[in-house]
Amino acid sequence: MESELKDLNSKPPNGSTARDDRPLLKSESIASADSISEMEKKFAAYVRRDVYGTMGRGELPAKEKLLLGFALVTLLPIRVLLAVTVLLLYYLICRICTLFSPPNREEEQEDYAHMSGWRRTVIVSCGRALSRFMLFIFGFYWIPESNYASQDDKQQPEESERPGVIISNHVSYLDILYHMSSSFPSFVAKRSVARLPFVGLISKCLGCVYVQRESKSPDFKGVSAIVTDRIREAYQNESAPLMMLFPEGTTTNGEFLLPFKTGGFLAKAPVLPVILRYHYQRFSPAWDSISGVRHVIFLLCQFVNYMEVIRLPVYHPSQQEMDDPKLYANNVRRLMASEGNLTLSDIGLAEKRAYHAALNGLFSQC
């Protein structure tokens, strides 16, 4: 999610007047796609397959309309009120715990994750409990967790089972709530998150590493170096906050695993692979090709939501993997795909933006 790419250029219409021949708003990567079905084959990792259809704008059956209408006037207001209450409560807890306590400042980063004593204990304990309660409000009443052993069971060193970083697939913003409730790790976030009302302080208490598009300091190390240092610190110091990374760099529909970026593997520290699966019958919690507001409304209008967690053993890299972060990342990715029954995909954020641009162009002409 920290990936930044340049905007994709769109091709102008070719002047055709026939509806079926109208060009999509597209880049060269999808120039040959002339229908949604063709695009869905090419960009399968980002396709929504629930009853709400592409971009959440599909024609709903009568039963679904009835359920949605009922939930809009009953379930939605209650859940919104409870969610806002939980957010404000945790913000208040963080505000009280950080009073008269200066944040840790290093390399243009600012956080409260390195606090100790009762303040840190309260922040972490309340954060985990309230994050789980927030998921309960969203309809995740129970979350089964499985501990899987790899079929290629490696000999693991006995000296430490503490990882330096948690590696997870990325399906939705709900992933963050789960990991907060499970281990309360630090994430990588855009710098603008630190300035958001309420959420900004919470992100500092999490110890988020903020992405800087432009550094004002000539000796700024960069996000990758800071993350590497934090991973090493977490591995060597049990009191340091764990890092949590989504190495795919963006979300998928939950059925695929995109290529991993190597930033989380440069520290040569062991990693903890965690796989999140969202099962659904009506609305998919996956946040792909659908607006944030529409997604939240549909999610809160679904009476029950399902999440499954597969937690793999701590993965200790071999010497060859330590010397080659790309090999390390690829091996962890293949392991997660095998154990999580996920399909490996070679596309990335550029293709996702092209697919979304094409969908927006198509729907704007309908």
Side-chain angles (χ1 to χ4, degrees):
M1 59 182 170
E2 65 269 22
S3 302
E4 296 293 333
L5 298 178
K6 294 182 179 178
D7 292 334
L8 298 170
N9 294 324
S10 302
K11 287 188 175 183
N14 58 14
S16 175
T17 58
R19 180 180 178 86
D20 293 339
D21 295 331
R22 289 180 307 172
L24 302 174
L25 181 61
K26 57 194 176 183
S27 65
E28 292 181 358
S29 63
I30 56 173
S32 62
D34 57 3
S35 68
I36 291 181
S37 61
E38 290 184 15
M39 288 192 296
E40 288 181 347
K41 293 179 181 178
K42 189 171 185 178
F43 305 107
Y46 307 123
V47 177
R48 299 190 62 84
R49 305 185 187 280
D50 57 17
V51 298
Y52 286 79
T54 304
M55 300 184 74
R57 299 182 183 182
E59 180 64 28
L60 299 178
K63 181 181 177 180
E64 186 63 30
K65 290 180 180 179
L66 183 62
L67 290 173
L68 180 60
F70 179 75
L72 280 171
V73 298
T74 56
L75 198 59
L76 180 62
I78 296 173
R79 283 180 165 175
V80 169
L81 179 61
L82 289 174
V84 171
T85 301
V86 170
L87 176 63
L88 294 178
L89 175 61
Y90 189 53
Y91 169 79
L92 182 61
I93 292 172
C94 291
R95 177 58 66 190
I96 293 174
C97 289
T98 55
L99 281 177
F100 312 113
S101 178
N104 175 62
R105 291 187 175 90
E106 181 182 1
E107 297 291 344
E108 299 187 9
Q109 302 292 327
E110 182 178 306
D111 70 81
Y112 292 98
H114 291 79
M115 289 192 308
S116 59
W118 68 268
R119 296 172 184 263
R120 183 61 183 170
T121 300
V122 171
I123 287 176
V124 173
S125 299
C126 291
R128 294 182 65 176
L130 291 177
S131 295
R132 182 61 188 91
F133 185 53
M134 185 74 84
L135 286 171
F136 186 88
I137 293 171
F138 287 175
F140 296 93
Y141 303 123
W142 58 89
I143 302 177
E145 297 189 8
S146 304
N147 293 303
Y148 280 24
S150 173
Q151 295 178 352
D152 302 324
D153 194 12
K154 301 173 58 175
Q155 288 187 348
Q156 303 290 344
E158 297 181 356
E159 65 271 11
S160 174
E161 278 300 310
R162 176 178 171 85
V165 59
I166 300 171
I167 297 297
S168 176
N169 62 319
H170 200 11
V171 184
S172 173
Y173 51 82
L174 299 165
D175 305 347
I176 297 175
L177 280 177
Y178 168 76
H179 287 294
M180 286 180 63
S181 70
S182 175
S183 53
F184 204 77
S186 302
F187 299 87
V188 174
K190 292 182 180 179
R191 184 64 197 175
S192 58
V193 172
R195 297 188 291 270
L196 292 175
F198 308 117
V199 177
L201 178 61
I202 294 174
S203 71
K204 293 178 183 178
C205 290
L206 276 165
C208 287
V209 177
Y210 300 111
V211 173
Q212 284 281 96
R213 292 186 177 182
E214 296 179 1
S215 172
K216 297 179 180 179
S217 174
D219 58 347
F220 182 60
K221 292 195 300 185
V223 172
S224 179
I226 294 175
V227 168
T228 299
D229 290 345
R230 291 279 293 271
I231 292 174
R232 288 173 179 160
E233 179 188 12
Y235 179 56
Q236 298 168 0
N237 182 3
E238 292 187 1
S239 63
L242 277 174
M243 281 298 302
M244 160 72 225
L245 294 176
F246 300 111
E248 295 170 285
T250 187
T251 56
T252 68
N253 60 13
E255 301 173 8
F256 293 79
L257 203 59
L258 306 181
F260 280 6
K261 302 183 186 305
T262 58
F265 303 89
L266 295 174
K268 306 179 181 180
V271 303
L272 174 62
V274 177
I275 305 163
L276 304 182
R277 299 296 304 267
Y278 293 87
H279 306 288
Y280 62 91
Q281 295 178 346
R282 296 164 51 220
F283 177 74
S284 170
W287 190 24
D288 244 313
S289 67
I290 184 172
S291 69
V293 173
R294 187 183 295 264
H295 187 278
V296 171
I297 291 175
F298 289 162
L299 180 76
L300 296 182
C301 286
Q302 189 156 257
F303 297 94
V304 182
N305 290 295
Y306 301 95
M307 177 193 300
E308 176 191 5
V309 179
I310 301 174
R311 191 180 298 269
L312 303 182
V314 174
Y315 189 105
H316 293 259
S318 65
Q319 185 60 51
Q320 186 179 9
E321 290 170 330
M322 290 185 185
D323 296 337
D324 187 352
K326 187 173 182 180
L327 174 66
Y328 187 7
N330 287 338
N331 287 345
V332 172
R333 176 177 176 244
R334 283 197 293 268
L335 174 63
M336 292 176 65
S338 174
E339 299 291 354
N341 194 26
L342 301 173
T343 302
L344 295 175
S345 174
D346 293 330
I347 61 178
L349 182 58
E351 290 82 1
K352 179 178 182 176
R353 290 189 172 185
Y355 174 58
H356 288 183
L359 290 179
N360 288 326
L362 178 64
F363 275 89
S364 67
Q365 298 179 49
C366 291

